[in-house]
Amino acid sequence: MKHYIAAEFNPSTEITGGAWYTDGSLDSDFIGVLKATCLKFVPNLKVATLEGFVEAVKKSRVSQVELSKKQIEELVESLVCDNELMKVKSTGIGEFASIPVGKVCYKRIDKGNRVSGAMASIPCGVCPQISICTPDGIVSPKTCVYYNTWLDF
Amino acid sequence: MASQYGLKYAVHIITSHFGNLVAKVCECLLRKGPLTLHNLIRFTELTPLQVKNSLLVLIQHNCVQAFIEESGVGDGAKLNTQYIALFNNIIHRSRFSKFLAIVSKELGEECLKLFEGLLQHGRLTLAQIVDRAISSTKGSDIAPGAIRETFLKLLGSHFVERCPAPEPVLSPPNQELPSSAKRGSKSAKLQKIETETLEQRVSEEAAPSEAMRFLLTTDAESNVDGGKDENDSSSSLVGEKRKYDALELDKEGEATNERVILWRANFEEFIRRLRHKACIEHVRHLGNGAVIVLSAMLEATRSAENKVKIDASAPLSLNSIYEEVIKNDAGRNMTFDRVRSSLIELGCPPLVKAFNDSYIIDFKAIIDLAQNDEVESIVLKRYGQEAYKMFRALSQAGHLLETDKIAEQTFYEKKDTPKVLYKLWKEEYLHMEKLQITGARQSQLLLWKVNKKNLWEHVLDEMFHAALNLSLRLAHELEKEKELLNPPQSRDRIIRVRLVLESAQIKLDDAIMLFHDF
């Protein structure tokens, strides 16, 4: 929905969508660059705090507007949803030695050695027709085209 | 009650192993629950002889258990023999190759041969085991004593156990106390009765006591090699760390002297080993040190586990862990500090917890993580990256979230978010609720949530469906191969196809165990 406002006023973030929106649309490129900056700050298998991310984004000068701690937290939490970062609590020992016990911090996820999903690696696991597939039906494992492709590589 | 495709897969296994007739009887029991012989004949519309023979086969192979249920009280009490299908044991039949691999790795070739016989025949007496072993090695002399020693190794590792009672009596739930719940408050016992399925109650009632389960001792059994051996150590308790119930031993000792004891594979122990193996696989990404340390902890605490699905292991001190680590080739060169740093790695996320100078394996945390990874990988592959992120956001929140909130958390366009969430909801991966907002303007909010319990059941059913499909496709490919004239390309193809399908079956079965058995 378009809103009109006098030129001397700045619209509130409730209307513009805040730092993440440009012309009413989500600024995916800007968000992508900020996320990449955050990830670069955490080398593999090391630990970072939210304050560390805030500092890293500030130093990188990627953003022309100053981003609040809350906004950086939103970015970092979305990296957790992306499975790029793992949210943990400091144990105060080892790699957490410099972080107070119990403080929330973030670790980079090493995806290299992860166990891959069993169901996702067979045709049935990703099949959009699984709910109508039956042993002797029109959609069945014996006649399945996804199986044909999978087995005749 | 097993899920729709769980039942179909179980029936398919029985059909493949024992034929259509036996499968028909089994299917009837699986779908209708426990039945008397009379009702089984009525529902299957088979002859009494066919039903009886089918039941004999199913009982022999530990797929059905008979039991007597008391109904009524006092003079009016009736005792009816009913038969219940043992769904878990039927599914275990599809993973015999895994059990054989465990025996082969741990105990070697001789034990493997004996154990194979038990899997083939379902249950055997020691005399039958010995006879089978002697007849299968024609031309070479094996002393019955040597076979008995091999059998004792299987017993010592708890890979075999005494068969359950043929027809235990099951009292009505409000009168019965589970035989295994000998301690604890009355309310805890009653709660246990309520949460147990009938299959579990029957199995518990039928099972021999812990004192007898792995005990090889009767006059009948000790005469297998022609005479009593006074130095026979088999009369001492095998599995000494199990609780010893003196009262039960006295009672049961008399009865067993009059019966010939039947032995069978102890599926519980194999599932325990496979659970441990799965835990190790799911920490492999933390490095070799973590794997060696966790393996050592599992080895050290295994005998203290009184059931498969325990949430946490027994505690171990750092010194005990170190002593266990250096016993094996893999850990021989590990330093004390390296063991300690591996424990720290295992502590984040907390898969191994430190508690009062001891360490405890958090099985629940490891299994939960593994289950989440499996479901999320399905969501990613099936519905794409955006759905995956939203699913993870909801999964981690653990409560209802509004559509816009999900969009903000995952940095997705608000107008496009409902479409993604709706697709997940339609395929039963998400739970949705509508909230009417009344005020100046009426509006409707959509709230979303990952309902773990329902979703996990749904995923397990899909896995059983996929397992059935893999099996049917393999059978179809082999059938097709027989009909062809066997040109070389076709032979190469069937070898490759078999490898792909059988590997997929093994891997999928690991995932099924993750959701059903672990």
Side-chain angles (χ1 to χ4, degrees):
Chain A
M1 197 192 323
K2 283 190 181 176
H3 292 83
Y4 296 91
I5 193 169
E8 61 265 32
F9 293 111
N10 279 328
S12 71
T13 54
E14 278 169 14
I15 295 171
T16 63
W20 310 131
Y21 288 80
T22 304
D23 297 331
S25 291
L26 200 64
D27 195 342
S28 307
D29 292 336
F30 176 53
I31 292 164
V33 167
L34 283 171
K35 280 183 174 181
T37 306
C38 290
L39 284 177
K40 265 190 225 162
F41 174 64
V42 195
N44 264 353
L45 308 179
K46 297 297 176 200
V47 181
T49 59
L50 179 58
E51 288 76 19
F53 284 119
V54 170
E55 200 53 42
V57 168
K58 201 170 163 181
K59 272 187 185 163
S60 71
R61 296 174 196 273
V62 160
S63 173
Q64 288 173 348
V65 299
E66 191 171 331
L67 297 170
S68 66
K69 191 174 174 183
K70 178 93 175 59
Q71 285 170 321
I72 302 293
E73 190 179 12
E74 286 172 9
L75 267 173
V76 171
E77 289 292 331
S78 85
L79 283 167
V80 174
C81 291
D82 293 350
N83 207 22
E84 295 286 355
L85 292 176
M86 182 180 11
K87 192 171 174 180
V88 293
K89 283 195 174 160
S90 168
T91 56
I93 45 176
E95 58 199 351
F96 298 99
S98 58
I99 304 170
V101 174
K103 185 168 172 61
V104 169
C105 29
Y106 302 87
K107 276 181 78 165
R108 194 72 200 269
I109 288 178
D110 177 13
K111 291 180 187 174
N113 290 326
R114 289 281 189 174
V115 177
S116 55
M119 189 69 173
S121 49
I122 58 175
C124 303
V126 300
C127 180
Q129 313 293 340
I130 191 167
S131 54
I132 60 168
C133 169
T134 55
D136 296 303
I138 295 169
V139 176
S140 85
K142 293 174 192 171
T143 57
C144 176
V145 294
Y146 299 121
Y147 264 97
N148 293 346
T149 312
W150 184 50
L151 294 173
D152 289 326
F153 58 88
Chain B
M1 189 69 179
S3 64
Q4 190 206 151
Y5 271 97
L7 292 184
K8 287 186 187 185
Y9 185 47
V11 172
H12 169 76
I13 291 169
I14 298 295
T15 310
S16 314
H17 292 188
F18 305 119
N20 290 328
L21 213 57
V22 176
K24 192 168 184 182
V25 170
C26 189
E27 184 172 7
C28 187
L29 289 173
L30 282 167
R31 292 199 184 279
K32 295 197 178 295
L35 293 170
T36 58
L37 179 62
H38 169 75
N39 282 334
L40 200 44
I41 293 166
R42 190 160 66 93
F43 289 128
T44 56
E45 296 176 350
L46 295 171
T47 66
L49 186 63
Q50 284 174 326
V51 171
K52 279 181 192 168
N53 286 341
S54 299
L55 279 175
L56 282 171
V57 169
L58 289 166
I59 291 170
Q60 171 73 17
H61 288 273
N62 309 297
C63 299
V64 160
Q65 171 72 47
F67 66 100
I68 296 172
E69 192 165 35
E70 278 181 14
S71 55
V73 285
D75 291 341
K78 282 187 194 170
L79 300 177
N80 295 310
T81 298
Q82 295 186 66
Y83 300 90
I84 185 169
L86 302 176
F87 175 76
N88 291 346
N89 285 3
I90 297 170
I91 301 299
H92 288 327
R93 296 191 64 81
S94 67
R95 46 184 77 116
F96 279 359
S97 59
K98 293 184 181 177
F99 300 166
L100 288 166
I102 290 171
V103 172
S104 175
K105 188 178 174 198
E106 288 221 12
L107 300 178
E109 196 60 29
E110 294 307 316
C111 287
L112 178 68
K113 285 180 197 165
L114 283 198
F115 185 71
E116 240 171 355
L118 276 172
L119 290 184
Q120 261 173 22
H121 297 280
R123 45 182 76 185
L124 294 168
T125 62
L126 184 53
Q128 287 168 329
I129 291 169
V130 169
D131 287 345
R132 183 183 168 273
I134 290 172
S135 64
S136 69
T137 54
K138 289 173 187 158
S140 63
D141 266 332
I142 304 185
I147 299 169
R148 186 192 177 84
E149 288 304 311
T150 306
F151 181 76
L152 279 173
K153 284 184 197 169
L154 285 167
L155 209 48
S157 298
H158 292 180
F159 289 148
V160 299
E161 62 175 359
R162 288 196 186 206
C163 283
E167 280 187 25
V169 178
L170 208 64
S171 306
N174 56 0
Q175 289 176 25
E176 182 191 328
L177 291 175
S179 53
S180 59
K182 294 198 185 307
R183 291 188 192 166
S185 65
K186 192 174 177 189
S187 59
K189 288 176 195 169
L190 286 172
Q191 197 179 23
K192 188 172 191 296
I193 293 167
E194 279 159 12
T195 55
E196 273 183 335
T197 62
L198 181 59
E199 183 181 333
Q200 285 166 324
R201 282 178 56 216
V202 168
S203 297
E204 272 185 21
E205 200 58 46
S209 65
E210 285 305 317
M212 296 300 291
R213 199 172 161 197
F214 305 106
L215 188 62
L216 173 61
T217 180
T218 56
D219 289 345
E221 292 296 325
S222 63
N223 281 334
V224 160
D225 53 355
K228 263 190 188 177
D229 183 357
E230 287 176 348
N231 296 323
D232 193 349
S233 58
S234 63
S235 59
S236 59
L237 269 175
V238 180
E240 287 165 15
K241 289 177 187 174
R242 294 272 176 170
K243 274 237 175 264
Y244 189 97
D245 186 335
L247 278 174
E248 283 203 281
L249 188 61
D250 285 342
K251 276 186 215 165
E252 293 192 32
E254 291 169 14
T256 51
N257 280 337
E258 297 168 23
R259 293 187 274 127
V260 179
I261 302 165
L262 283 165
W263 301 93
R264 67 176 190 179
N266 176 16
F267 296 141
E268 183 187 315
E269 185 61 27
F270 289 103
I271 296 301
R272 178 177 292 113
R273 304 282 176 130
L274 289 168
R275 190 184 196 229
H276 289 184
K277 189 178 168 215
C279 289
I280 292 166
E281 285 314 304
H282 282 278
V283 304
R284 203 167 279 283
H285 66 281
L286 294 175
N288 230 12
V291 166
I292 293 170
V293 167
L294 187 70
S295 304
M297 291 180 76
L298 289 167
E299 188 65 40
T301 54
R302 184 185 301 130
S303 56
E305 291 180 26
N306 56 8
K307 55 177 184 168
V308 174
K309 290 188 185 182
I310 53 166
D311 284 349
S313 71
L316 282 173
S317 66
L318 184 50
N319 285 334
S320 306
I321 295 171
Y322 177 66
E323 278 163 21
E324 193 65 41
V325 162
I326 58 174
K327 272 185 198 172
N328 298 311
D329 288 339
R332 189 153 294 142
N333 297 323
M334 268 186 96
T335 61
F336 193 84
D337 281 340
R338 184 136 180 253
V339 170
R340 199 204 316 257
S341 62
S342 297
L343 284 166
I344 293 170
E345 274 170 6
L346 285 163
C348 182
L351 307 176
V352 169
K353 291 180 176 166
F355 183 72
N356 283 348
D357 296 332
S358 292
Y359 293 87
I360 297 170
I361 303 169
D362 189 345
F363 286 115
K364 189 171 183 312
I366 299 175
I367 301 294
D368 280 353
L369 212 64
Q371 289 174 340
N372 282 332
D373 282 351
E374 182 66 40
V375 174
E376 285 171 9
S377 71
I378 297 171
V379 172
L380 175 62
K381 249 321 193 29
R382 206 186 274 184
Y383 305 109
Q385 184 74 20
E386 298 309 330
Y388 170 74
K389 289 185 215 177
M390 290 180 201
F391 182 84
R392 275 179 61 82
L394 283 163
S395 190
Q396 282 161 20
H399 53 81
L400 289 161
L401 282 180
E402 196 261 311
T403 313
D404 282 355
K405 182 77 186 157
I406 298 166
E408 283 163 20
Q409 255 185 268
T410 55
F411 288 102
Y412 199 60
E413 289 281 4
K414 286 182 182 176
K415 59 179 170 40
D416 297 329
T417 301
K419 204 165 100 181
V420 176
L421 293 169
Y422 182 74
K423 193 143 191 237
L424 286 169
W425 169 76
K426 207 169 141 233
E427 310 255 321
E428 299 179 63
Y429 274 72
L430 288 183
H431 168 77
M432 186 254 286
E433 286 178 22
K434 292 181 185 174
L435 192 66
Q436 289 290 126
I437 309 279
T438 50
R441 258 191 324 184
Q442 282 215 355
S443 63
Q444 193 180 69
L445 284 180
L446 295 179
L447 303 172
W448 310 85
K449 185 182 168 180
V450 173
N451 185 327
K452 247 191 176 171
K453 184 178 178 293
N454 291 353
L455 177 56
W456 265 216
E457 283 170 8
H458 175 64
V459 165
L460 181 59
D461 192 52
E462 283 192 349
M463 287 180 175
F464 280 130
H465 190 168
L468 176 61
N469 283 355
L470 283 170
S471 211
L472 290 173
R473 183 66 188 224
L474 179 58
H476 171 72
E477 292 285 343
L478 293 172
E479 192 64 40
K480 221 168 63 176
E481 176 65 14
K482 277 186 203 164
E483 290 164 11
L484 297 174
L485 294 172
N486 257 341
Q489 310 95 291
S490 150
R491 275 200 300 275
D492 287 342
R493 183 189 173 271
I494 196 63
I495 291 170
R496 198 185 69 238
V497 160
R498 241 191 119 151
L499 187 64
V500 168
L501 288 170
E502 285 174 356
S503 312
Q505 280 179 313
I506 290 169
K507 196 173 172 188
L508 181 63
D509 184 59
D510 287 342
I512 288 173
M513 284 192 286
L514 189 60
F515 284 82
H516 186 254
D517 298 279
F518 295 168

